[in-house]
Amino acid sequence: MKKDNCIFCKIANGEIPSKTLYEDRNFRVILDLGPATKGHALILPKEHAENLYDLPEESAAEAMVLARRMAATLVEKLHCDGLNLVQNNGDAAGQTVQHFHLHLIPRYVGDGQSINWKPGSPTQEELEAVRKTIVE
Ligand code: AMP
Ligand code: ZN
């Protein structure tokens, strides 16, 4: 299903033009309009899903296979030195477009970008409490 007024539904389904790198029955891969680095691409499912939790498992699996293939192409064609996969869910995580998308961000030595967090230093007991909360 497409969602009215969803810009990524419109792009994925070709109603709004984009710099398309790849398209098949279920996905379109486009260049990000505000790229972190040269070649920053987005994998968009054609079916609307708001985020990862809303995405059918089959599509999630297909998206990751496509990510692997696109990553190999970006490395081969752009000669990047590394590549980040980024996928944001929810405002708190920085999601700004509410249609699932997977970022492929080629990285170049000295590109000045960073996708980092400040590591915490929990005790073993704190880690165990979190583990129990998740698995029990
Ligand atoms: P996120 O913060 O994970 O929701 O990422 C949204 C991304 O979509 C950002 O990197 C934007 O630069 C990108 N973006 C937003 N609108 C468009 C558009 N019309 N075409 C291509 N990329 C877009
Ligand atoms: Zn959508």
Side-chain angles (χ1 to χ4, degrees):
M1 275 275 288
K2 284 185 274 169
K3 190 177 170 194
D4 287 347
N5 300 321
C6 172
I7 184 153
F8 279 4
C9 275
K10 291 188 167 71
I11 291 173
N13 290 283
E15 291 162 38
I16 293 179
S18 63
K19 296 293 183 201
T20 294
L21 303 177
Y22 174 83
E23 183 186 5
D24 63 23
R25 203 162 61 85
N26 297 325
F27 290 91
R28 183 185 294 269
V29 184
I30 65 167
L31 286 178
D32 194 298
L33 273 187
T37 62
K38 185 172 81 175
H40 182 166
L42 301 172
I43 294 180
L44 311 179
K46 291 186 176 181
E47 290 287 307
H48 182 84
E50 191 162 323
N51 51 41
L52 183 62
Y53 348 120
D54 191 30
L55 189 70
E57 281 195 353
E58 200 178 300
S59 305
E62 228 183 300
M64 190 52 80
V65 171
L66 182 53
R68 195 209 69 81
R69 204 186 314 142
M70 291 306 304
T73 301
L74 292 170
V75 169
E76 182 195 334
K77 301 286 176 137
L78 298 176
H79 307 291
C80 51
D81 304 304
L83 185 140
N84 293 115
L85 275 189
V86 175
Q87 201 278 307
N88 301 323
N89 299 283
D91 291 346
Q95 183 177 10
T96 59
V97 180
Q98 310 308 314
H99 173 125
F100 173 91
H101 50 282
L102 184 52
H103 296 258
L104 291 140
I105 306 179
R107 299 302 303 273
Y108 306 89
V109 171
D111 64 24
Q113 294 289 4
S114 73
I115 297 163
N116 278 331
W117 56 87
K118 193 159 53 82
S121 47
T123 63
Q124 283 299 308
E125 291 73 24
E126 286 166 336
L127 284 177
E128 179 59 10
V130 174
R131 190 191 70 80
K132 280 190 170 151
T133 303
I134 295 167
V135 303
E136 286 178 4

